[in-house]
Amino acid sequence: MTIENISINKSFGGWHKQYSHQSKVLYCKMRFAIYLPPQASSGEKVPVLYWLSGLTCTDENFMQKAGAQRKAAELGIAIVAPDTSPRGDDVADDDSYDLGKGAGFYLNATQAPWNRHYHMYDYIVKELPQLIEATFPVSNKRAIAGHSMGGHGALTIAMRNPERYTSMSAFSPITNPSNCPWGEKAFSTYLGKDTATWAQYDASELMREATQFVPALVDQGAADDFLVEQLKPEILEAAAKVSDYPLELKLHQGYDHSYYFIASFIEDHLSFHSEYLNNSIGRS
Amino acid sequence: MTIENISINKSFGGWHKQYSHQSKVLYCKMRFAIYLPPQASSGEKVPVLYWLSGLTCTDENFMQKAGAQRKAAELGIAIVAPDTSPRGDDVADDDSYDLGKGAGFYLNATQAPWNRHYHMYDYIVKELPQLIEATFPVSNKRAIAGHSMGGHGALTIAMRNPERYTSMSAFSPITNPSNCPWGEKAFSTYLGKDTATWAQYDASELMREATQFVPALVDQGAADDFLVEQLKPEILEAAAKVSDYPLELKLHQGYDHSYYFIASFIEDHLSFHSEYLNNSIGRS
């Protein structure tokens, strides 16, 4: 596995770095960003929070706009921000912002032409952590978080792999993609008509049936334009009640879907994950 | 004075808002952003930090990338981020990134065609504060800060108007524009050959001759690619010694010219300004 450094910036005593590498599961060149806190420079193996971004984003949105580095530096947590889809000229795409490049939905596509490159689920669960843990001074303690489409990704990936993540969190997640316009469009295109497959990528479905638990924090803005039609936190909350899932879901008056909302509460998420990352044994 | 609201986002309990208005001194429509801390919503008149951005920036860069709202909310300071030049189809421009739109250099141009719209000095010193103080729940206590070209703007504007600002600060400022490629290009184009006029827009010249003092903080990254050729903090430091100017200048190992540097130390700047803003009498 060869990876190439693209940029490096000192940040809060640690380092923000961008890399590119050839992905074996996505069959294309991918870029990701990593924030290494100061503790990583002194030989300590730090735990990692994976951050999954929303529609249209790249590795850059979170790193530039969330203001997460200050608290990550204080807590000694690395952050990895992957891209949101496969990239490159030979990767299938669509003109709309909510399908194709920038809209990988963190799943493994089964339908042509998407099934050639769109395997973001495997990339996030397996290939990327393997690369990160082989390359950087990090431990195998992992947490996962995300925003909107990335909130969907974080919750579904953690619930399907509870042995691999200490904790999961989301801002404004698409909680029930089988039952909202963004999700129905993406799932029918990438996964076809088999709704049993859809359920494997639906946080509310997974939470309702869960028997193994990953501690979960979800923040949602009450002034979010996508709240009613796309995000539907009440469905996730109802699912948690069925399985008695350890979900803390908070609604914040006045806050919208933007990074101004994420920045306002990212410290809470880092503190939440730190409690589990810094007290857990290694993960498989 | 009519101003039009463009966007609004809740942020750390306060509000980030963008507005447009017709500028009387720039003869064009301008956009600015304001962050109003929570204290402004409870009837309190809060002091204002004006932030001047660098080359190519708009009102958005600082508000999205600096992570300043957390500390501003805590300290009860409003932040105003103007654009970096006049804008619009009839405004003179240049193909290069360091001249014309996005590169107003916070001066009043004397040379055609630039002297029609390029009066950013008057806009920042007079028109914008008048508009802000007539529109928002803010006091007439003002501080000023900026980055690179905006650091040059903040230092020169405060030193020429010491009665109007409690304090000034800069990240990576162009300290001696009369004597570096960015400054020589801009000054010769906007101001012509009259170097006496140049000196009025040169922080090192003003600091060397100063008899009235505005408390000053300057942070500079030691790994900044522009340090030696464009920024030259040692010239500002030498000027401060001549006039015994109250300048605190810090060099930070490993940090570059990016917003990752600004975000790492913006809290220090807000605390510095707060000391003066929250303890001073009203300004003229």
Side-chain angles (χ1 to χ4, degrees), chain B residues 7-260:
Chain B
S7 77
I8 175 164
N9 312 90
K10 195 166 184 181
S11 168
F12 287 94
W15 295 94
H16 168 263
K17 302 180 180 189
Q18 288 178 297
Y19 289 89
S20 72
H21 73 112
Q22 184 67 30
S23 166
K24 287 176 189 169
V25 300
L26 301 175
Y27 300 95
C28 67
K29 202 170 187 179
M30 291 293 286
R31 191 175 73 190
F32 67 86
I34 184 168
Y35 176 68
L36 289 166
Q39 294 83 347
S41 298
S42 55
E44 197 177 319
K45 283 201 168 193
V46 296
V48 182
L49 173 65
Y50 288 84
W51 173 270
L52 307 184
S53 284
L55 289 166
T56 78
C57 289
T58 68
D59 65 295
E60 295 190 333
N61 305 66
F62 180 80
M63 290 296 189
Q64 294 182 353
K65 296 184 175 181
Q69 293 90 350
R70 184 185 62 86
K71 196 69 183 179
E74 183 188 316
L75 297 171
I77 296 172
I79 303 175
V80 171
D83 207 339
T84 54
S85 76
R87 299 282 180 181
D89 292 342
D90 64 336
V91 170
D93 201 6
D94 188 273
D95 284 342
S96 51
Y97 77 97
D98 54 2
L99 202 67
K101 292 180 194 173
F105 271 85
Y106 306 102
L107 51 73
N108 293 333
T110 58
Q111 306 297 300
W114 311 99
N115 56 355
R116 167 77 184 141
H117 293 284
Y118 285 76
H119 311 130
M120 286 298 289
Y121 179 85
D122 282 348
Y123 179 69
I124 301 298
V125 174
K126 296 173 191 165
E127 187 181 24
L128 187 61
Q130 197 179 347
L131 178 65
I132 296 295
E133 289 162 26
T135 308
F136 301 101
V138 300
S139 72
N140 62 352
K141 294 178 193 170
R142 306 172 205 104
I144 192 163
H147 174 233
S148 196
M149 175 183 76
H152 140 76
L155 299 179
T156 54
I157 282 173
M159 282 192 280
R160 286 176 63 174
N161 301 276
E163 75 290 354
R164 291 181 62 80
Y165 300 95
T166 61
S167 43
M168 64 186 186
S169 75
F171 289 87
S172 333
I174 305 173
T175 66
N176 187 204
S178 309
N179 184 32
C180 76
W182 278 338
E184 288 168 29
K185 180 177 177 179
F187 284 9
S188 60
T189 304
Y190 296 139
L191 302 173
K193 292 176 182 173
D194 177 13
T195 52
T197 308
W198 291 27
Q200 287 301 303
Y201 295 109
D202 189 304
S204 293
E205 298 285 346
L206 292 167
M207 195 168 273
R208 191 179 296 117
E209 304 295 331
T211 53
Q212 280 186 278
F213 300 141
V214 179
L217 171 65
V218 171
D219 281 308
Q220 173 64 53
D224 187 324
D225 286 340
F226 302 110
L227 178 60
V228 175
E229 193 188 15
Q230 304 278 12
L231 305 177
K232 308 185 180 185
E234 69 283 1
I235 295 183
L236 189 72
E237 203 161 37
K241 282 189 181 149
V242 173
S243 62
D244 206 16
Y245 209 98
L247 167 69
E248 185 176 4
L249 193 153
K250 297 185 219 171
L251 196 68
H252 300 274
Q253 294 304 319
Y255 287 91
D256 63 19
H257 201 65
S258 73
Y259 265 91
Y260 291 108

Side-chain angles (χ1 to χ4, degrees), chain A residues 23 27-28 36 43 48 66 94 116 131 134 137 140 146 152 163 165 175 188 194 208 232 245 263:
Chain A
S23 165
Y27 300 95
C28 67
L36 290 165
V48 182
D94 187 273
R116 167 78 184 138
L131 178 66
N140 62 353
H152 141 75
E163 75 291 354
Y165 300 95
T175 66
S188 60
D194 177 13
R208 191 178 297 115
K232 308 185 180 187
Y245 209 98

